[in-house]
Amino acid sequence: MKVLVPVKRVVDYNVKVRVKSDGTGVDIANVKMSMNPFDEIAVEEAVRLKEKGVVTEVIAVSCGVTQCQETLRTAMAIGADRAILVECADELQPLAVAKLLAALVAKEQPGLIILGKQAIDDDANQVGQMLAALTDLPQATFASKVEIADGKAVVTREIDGGLETLALSLPAVVTTDLRLNEPRYVTLPNIMKAKKKPLETLTPAALGVDVAPRLKTLKVSEPPQRSAGIKVPDVAILVAKLKNEAKVI
């Protein structure tokens, strides 16, 4: 069984993000980029399924600029067998990414698609659900546990009231949550091995997908700075300030 794992190149989660002076977007010039943490969890889960013997091949996929090859090499260093880059210099919105992935699903015929529940740059949380709709596949979002047996994926997912367990017929789409696993440390030997693994480059046109933006960003701005907290001597003053100044009670 093949597993397709989409990964996204984002600003590293340790970097303090700055907005461009003209408000058109986030400044990523000379900023450290890395794999989206939720996608890293997805790659780890796919590799673990392969190590259990229920998966035969793990294929990492990324859509974006040429530098996404670095992200794909990281995925192959974790344990992916090969990679596909859909190279595109234009902005790719969630629907465009879902269409590209749907075309790759039709091409590769994977038994399972595992991807992060959201990317930490736009926090859209849309690609997995859109992909399931476009491919007409069952889906389980926010997975905290995944088991494959008897042609089905049994997924435990987190909901507001606790946990929900779903049984999905394969092929299926699963999006990962933080509690699913902890990605392994990538060793230098595996990084060197990843350089020799096959990486195929495609274009949206080759897949027959229109990636023109459907949405327009009007303005990006930083949140207002929070004022410093204060200490109050007693409960009466605290209640008075909450009522008269903060106006929350």
Side-chain angles (χ1 to χ4, degrees):
M1 182 174 74
K2 291 182 185 177
V3 175
L4 198 69
V5 188
V7 296
K8 187 177 184 181
R9 179 177 181 263
V10 299
V11 175
D12 190 88
Y13 65 92
N14 289 312
V15 172
K16 180 176 173 54
V17 176
R18 299 188 182 280
V19 176
K20 292 179 181 177
S21 57
D22 58 2
T24 57
V26 173
D27 186 5
I28 59 172
N30 302 316
V31 171
K32 182 184 177 184
M33 308 291 282
S34 61
M35 187 189 301
N36 177 45
F38 290 102
D39 296 339
E40 199 172 355
I41 291 170
V43 176
E44 173 68 26
E45 190 63 23
V47 173
R48 290 188 185 187
L49 290 172
K50 184 185 174 187
E51 290 171 346
K52 290 178 182 177
V54 296
V55 167
T56 55
E57 186 180 29
V58 177
I59 309 164
V61 178
S62 192
C63 306
V65 295
T66 306
Q67 290 87 337
C68 290
Q69 290 185 17
E70 301 168 10
T71 308
L72 290 170
R73 293 293 179 194
T74 301
M76 289 190 285
I78 294 173
D81 299 292
R82 59 185 173 96
I84 301 172
L85 171 61
V86 182
E87 193 169 351
C88 180
D90 301 327
E91 176 197 4
L92 289 174
Q93 294 178 350
L95 179 59
V97 175
K99 287 180 177 179
L100 291 170
L101 294 177
L104 287 173
V105 167
K107 179 175 179 284
E108 294 289 341
Q109 295 292 311
L112 184 65
I113 304 100
I114 306 179
L115 64 162
K117 68 172 184 176
Q118 65 195 76
I120 62 172
D121 52 1
D122 57 14
D123 277 329
N125 185 13
Q126 293 175 339
V127 172
Q129 293 88 327
M130 287 178 171
L131 175 60
L134 290 171
T135 54
D136 196 25
L137 295 177
Q139 63 172 314
T141 56
F142 319 134
S144 59
K145 186 178 180 182
V146 177
E147 294 178 327
I148 308 295
D150 302 325
K152 290 190 176 183
V154 179
V155 180
T156 302
R157 60 187 299 267
E158 299 187 4
I159 58 174
D160 291 340
L163 298 175
E164 179 181 55
T165 302
L166 302 175
L168 312 176
S169 57
L170 298 177
V173 177
V174 175
T175 71
T176 63
D177 212 337
L178 282 172
R179 292 175 184 81
L180 181 58
N181 61 51
E182 185 174 342
R184 68 194 66 191
Y185 177 77
V186 179
T187 62
L188 183 58
N190 286 338
I191 292 174
M192 301 306 292
K193 289 177 185 176
K195 292 181 179 180
K196 297 179 181 179
K197 291 183 179 180
L199 194 159
E200 181 183 1
T201 302
L202 301 172
T203 62
L207 294 171
V209 177
D210 175 18
V211 295
R214 263 62 173 181
L215 305 173
K216 181 180 179 182
T217 301
L218 300 179
K219 185 180 179 183
V220 177
S221 59
E222 293 187 7
Q225 289 190 341
R226 296 174 62 182
S227 57
I230 61 170
K231 290 184 178 180
V232 293
D234 55 47
V235 174
I237 295 177
L238 171 63
V239 172
K241 286 187 176 293
L242 289 174
K243 185 175 181 180
N244 302 322
E245 295 182 18
K247 300 187 183 300
V248 293
I249 58 173

